[in-house]
């Protein structure tokens, strides 16, 4: 939409950030990168990125700085801490936070930047590392008009589409949080439905084929359905404790506005049960195991999986991954 | 798959049965129809159907009789009651019940027909009247091999695809029940997610656009999402009390095999709350209203719906409708 | 209150009925007893009871017949079946059903007796076999004024107090069902609270001592608290499947009047989980084991129970027991 | 148990602290009091208390300082803030925190005091202002042996009994949190049971009489039962938002140790629903209103309350009140 080339600071070079930076560079934006463990940042130098010494250094001289870090704590530390983004960003500069963070932190970051005469945009994404590498992320963005305008060229370079949802940054945070809650609910729903049908001897692969072949053709049903049908949850795409954390973000935001979310509460308890059983390394689809066990079902064996369909490339482009470098 | 023309008895001429019979006739099958209120059956005489005087009469002389009635009670009455299907069907004949009935009734019907030397198949469908009219239903079928074989030509005439799931008829019932449970869960999930985001002033239409444009592209999200986003639940496609009934079928079947279904339980309570508020005529998506009210949100006004996307033809082909003539 | 001696038919000689009949006899009432397995009835002959050949026979000639059977099915069979109570009871006679039955069955029994020109009273009890033996039951009774009056002398002989709750018999059924729901909820509550405190290394016996020594001095907290604290659920006072059944009665009655009971739903799922784990023989307090396991706690060992307080006689006089002879 | 008179600093003169200080003075302990709004502290000067200028001042020279403040935030501010307790307390001194605070804060306070060479005890109480005035509180205490010993004379002066639960202070916090969770669950349980029985036209006062006269004789059932039966929740003894907060403490502590607490989650959602309906000023028993409304019941009218039993003095001695001065 815009061919303006703004200089971009970029903080947090994880599996997501790597692809995003490459796409910014490819679109002609000079990028100044910072990551806590420097090796990941340095790997991008070959592509033309400048390696910064601190978040403040990455932000210095850039009209726009993007961050995508692992969680609230690291985002806050790298933004408002000493040597943080806010310390380096010039007045009038804009910080776009693309991680999945709490509404409460979104609010604090907006306030901190406003106090420093800087702009702030929340812009979490739907998508995983392959989508980040392909420039095919979906960006959900909210913030003041002019700050959004500043971000547009960068968002265009990294994503296939940007959805602007309002001028209060937390509106983007809540949309992302709401979307992840819906995925968690879908997983628990699959868990219960497969437990029910398995107890009536219906072949799980057949049941999945029917679901995705009739009423539920979306890729998410295929991806999570395959994990639940096969009863295998490793290696994880998005680990179970992260699922608990994101549902926690939803419940916290809901409580602040007196929104009861009974499915959210229930899913939270299921995640806790899963962790009490030691499933920390499972994908968050591992709720399927909890449901199966609670129905008295044995773990499904490899041999039973004969007909398991092959996952196709790109199917899971929109699913959550924990963002962020270290 | 087969071009064999079997004579078919058909009991229950509702919005679904009408289209199904027309497709059977169009495929060259002689059909003998019965409906409690005769007018609906007689309307099919012009298309070549023979109007029977009773379920027994519809079954007499037919190697296959199909029923699709409103609920367990009517299905049982028209099958095993005096003048019922079992009384008219010759030994060796097959009854295919295509309604959404309980696992328990599926079991009893199978036993009753077996005792009479007859075959029984459970074959519920995913699809609504337009899909029935178009011969585009999805049929989920279970029963003895030979009985399934007998049904195949008729299923081919009425549906776009048949999924055979096993030789015990109740396996088809449980698949359909599990699918409807998943839809009920999806509705409650939408209700909670929209309540959350509305409380943060996110435009519901925008939120829906994001959901269906990114992670949840399935038509069911669009259809139910539009109802929840617009907060309008009439006219109903599938009335709320029917949703309660179907979730009840899931919970009953689950209890029989010791399967806890916490989301099922929770959704049941939400349906009860909806009925206590007088929403009997709402579509089952009306759980969205319950969620919104419990979060302190006002009913959404017409004027706010400016951007509501138009529903497209055929989008809801697979959704539930209450089957059955009277 | 009354010293009128009415002749009483008594159907169902289980652990409860035995004591109840002895108290009727002791108060001077002639009693005619029936039990499906005759031995239990004959054992009462020595005390002066007449052994009847059928429920109808027990009812014949008696102005009042009492039944206390195991469940809905046996109650209905022995009331309205051939040779049932209704067949033998003279017009104007009264049937008092003292078992914990469904509201729906209460309604059907009332209607059946009314049609036969007979009276019907629902009069379930709070209390267990020792209380029955001691004539110390609590009777909750509902029915037409004159029918209640007919029952009063017999209730006085068997119980320490009768609570009349209305003229529609099902009002007594719902009170008993509501009370049992509250006990089931209390058990699950204890399960969660003990799981929480055990995970923080608080000694369960100490926690129980604090609860019953401060805010929760009722015997029910002591009785169920001891089972949960010691994590031992056998021998059962009231078996887990019966708890599931009674919560089911509450949910069924609640649904009929659109009453959401989320704790009821949740407890039902916990009972199902318990059964899926094979705890059929546990006391219904066995939900405590489910809660502990779901929190990752090991089964508590004998050796840890050193300080377990001794249960005192009479503590559990009001708790549920499954009524009824066979 | 001990007649040693230790000098006591006391921070937080609310409705609880007032009575507690008077009992310390009556037992011969010199007391130095601090409250943010000085008037409440000065009112105790007439009884012989010294009015301190800050928490640090109250703690200066006292071997023991007690605090009972409104919540985590005020407790932390007055303990570790500038001019806080830790700043004034001499090495070797002990701080006993008697408020209902989070496990996490209990841990932080213990660590902060340990670092300063001071002792720390968590000692929350069951009881309300009248019990505090009467020296009849129940104290639940945990901390190092010697620190507990230091507190014993003061606890004896303020309470009728002290339950020591371990050497890790947070064990006392979790016991109190677990107890309050159980009360919240009891309230919701009453709400559901009364909604059920009211829908069957059972008189609520009669139902309460039966409950407390048979299986549930504890005062808590009488107190909360009367509020739910009469459907009147003002004036509040313990306001609804405080109930939400305490259940939140339970859920937070539970999550930290992977303990699912489904009733806790459910009750939290009910509190949110209540707040969304504007019931901020209700007693936390106001969940009864939510349950009644969700079952379609109208608010109960005054006139219906004719038979409401009178609450007796002292019945509610153990119930929660929000501790703490301002």
């Amino acid at each position: 939409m815009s061919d303006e080339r703004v200089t971009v600071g970029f903080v947090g070079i994880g599996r997501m950030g790597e692809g995003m930076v490459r796409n910014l560079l490819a679109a002609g934006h000079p990028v100044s990168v910072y990551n806590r463990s420097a090796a990941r940042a340095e790997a991008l130098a070959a592509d033309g990125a400048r390696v910064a010494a601190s978040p403040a250094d990455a932000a210095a001289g850039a009209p726009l700085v993007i961050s995508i870090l692992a969680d609230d704590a690291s985002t806050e530390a790298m933004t408002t801490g000493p040597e943080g983004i806010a310390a380096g960003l010039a007045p009038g500069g804009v910080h776009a936070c693309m991680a999945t963070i709490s509404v409460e932190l979104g609010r604090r970051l907006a306030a901190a930047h406003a106090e420093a005469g800087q702009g702030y945009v929340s812009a979490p994404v739907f998508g995983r590392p392959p989508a980040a590498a392909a420039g095919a992320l979906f960006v959900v963005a909210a913030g003041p008009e002019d700050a959004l305008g500043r971000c547009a060229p960068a968002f265009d370079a990294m994503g296939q589409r940007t959805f602007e949802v309002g001028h209060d940054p937390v509106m983007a945070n809540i949309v992302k949080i709401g979307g992840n809650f819906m995925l968690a609910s879908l997983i628990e729903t699959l868990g219960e439905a497969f437990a029910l049908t398995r107890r009536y001897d219906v072949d799980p692969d057949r049941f999945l084929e029917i679901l995705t072949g009739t009423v539920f053709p979306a890729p998410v049903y295929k991806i999570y359905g395959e994990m639940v049908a096969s009863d295998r949850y490793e290696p994880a795409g998005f680990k179970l404790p992260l699922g608990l954390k994101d549902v926690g973000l939803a419940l916290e935001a809901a409580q602040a506005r007196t929104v009861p979310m009974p499915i959210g509460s229930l899913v939270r308890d299921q995640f806790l049960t899963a962790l009490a059983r030691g499933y920390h390394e499972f994908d968050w689809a591992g709720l399927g195991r909890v449901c199966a066990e609670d129905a008295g079902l044995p773990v499904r064996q490899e041999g039973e999986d004969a007909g398991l369909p092959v996952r196709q490339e790109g199917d899971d482009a929109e699913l959550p991954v924990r963002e962020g470098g270290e």
Side-chain angles (χ1 to χ4, degrees), chain A:
Chain A
M1 303 184 185
S2 161
D3 58 359
E4 186 194 350
R5 306 298 198 285
V6 298
T7 300
V8 179
F10 203 106
V11 176
I13 309 299
R15 290 190 293 157
M16 294 294 286
E18 199 175 279
M20 294 161 83
V21 167
R22 288 214 169 88
N23 281 303
L24 287 168
L25 291 167
H29 300 280
V31 186
S32 183
V33 300
Y34 173 78
N35 197 54
R36 205 171 53 178
S37 63
R40 301 198 65 121
E42 278 152 16
L44 290 167
D47 299 86
R50 179 179 84 83
V51 178
S54 68
D57 182 28
L64 172 66
V65 59
I66 287 169
S67 69
I68 184 159
L69 293 149
D71 55 22
D72 270 31
S74 55
T75 299
E76 186 153 31
M78 296 224 185
T79 302
T80 58
E83 296 295 300
I85 290 168
L89 194 61
V94 170
H95 173 200
C97 171
M98 302 186 77
T100 300
I101 59 167
S102 71
V103 161
E104 190 43 41
L105 180 58
R107 195 181 314 285
R108 283 205 305 274
L109 295 182
H113 283 298
E115 200 170 318
Q118 301 158 350
Y120 173 75
V121 166
S122 279
V125 297
F126 287 105
R128 292 161 68 101
L137 297 170
F138 292 103
V139 180
V140 179
E145 191 80 48
D146 55 343
L148 287 173
R150 176 79 55 81
C151 299
F155 292 167
D156 288 350
M158 297 182 291
Q160 63 175 290
R161 185 166 171 199
T162 299
F163 297 88
E164 298 184 356
V165 289
H167 298 316
D168 179 352
V170 304
M171 294 168 84
N173 299 121
I174 202 69
V175 164
K176 170 72 177 173
I177 287 168
N180 277 12
F181 152 74
M182 287 179 63
L183 286 170
S185 172
L186 183 160
I187 288 169
E188 169 69 16
T189 301
L190 286 167
E192 297 183 17
F194 275 84
L196 175 66
T197 50
R198 279 184 67 192
R199 289 288 273 145
Y200 281 87
D201 301 319
V202 174
D203 178 63
D205 302 328
R206 188 70 171 150
F207 183 51
L208 177 58
E209 189 191 356
I210 296 172
L211 294 177
T212 56
T214 62
V215 184
F216 303 101
V220 283
Y221 283 88
K222 192 158 168 239
I223 296 160
Y224 293 120
E226 280 174 18
M227 294 195 210
V228 175
S230 64
D231 203 18
R232 284 205 304 267
Y233 307 100
E234 293 181 284
F238 186 68
K239 284 189 188 169
L240 212 144
L242 298 173
L244 172 60
K245 195 156 140 268
D246 281 5
V247 168
L249 294 180
L251 293 177
E252 178 192 318
Q255 177 158 339
R257 298 276 168 106
T258 65
V259 181
M261 295 185 76
I263 289 189
S265 295
L266 180 163
V267 168
R268 175 185 168 278
D269 282 314
Q270 294 288 80
F271 278 128
L272 290 176
T273 301
L275 294 179
R277 292 182 191 173
Y279 302 156
H280 299 72
E281 297 300 317
F282 277 17
D283 189 272
W284 65 335
L287 295 187
R289 175 69 57 82
V290 172
C291 291
E293 289 174 330
D294 284 353
L297 287 160
V299 174
R300 208 177 167 215
Q301 295 305 308
E302 285 277 341
E304 305 176 51
D305 292 339
L308 193 70
V310 178
R311 184 185 303 197
Q312 279 161 23
E313 276 306 304
D315 266 359
D316 57 355
E318 315 82 355
L319 298 191
V321 69
R322 182 45 68 223
E323 304 88 352
E326 303 147 76

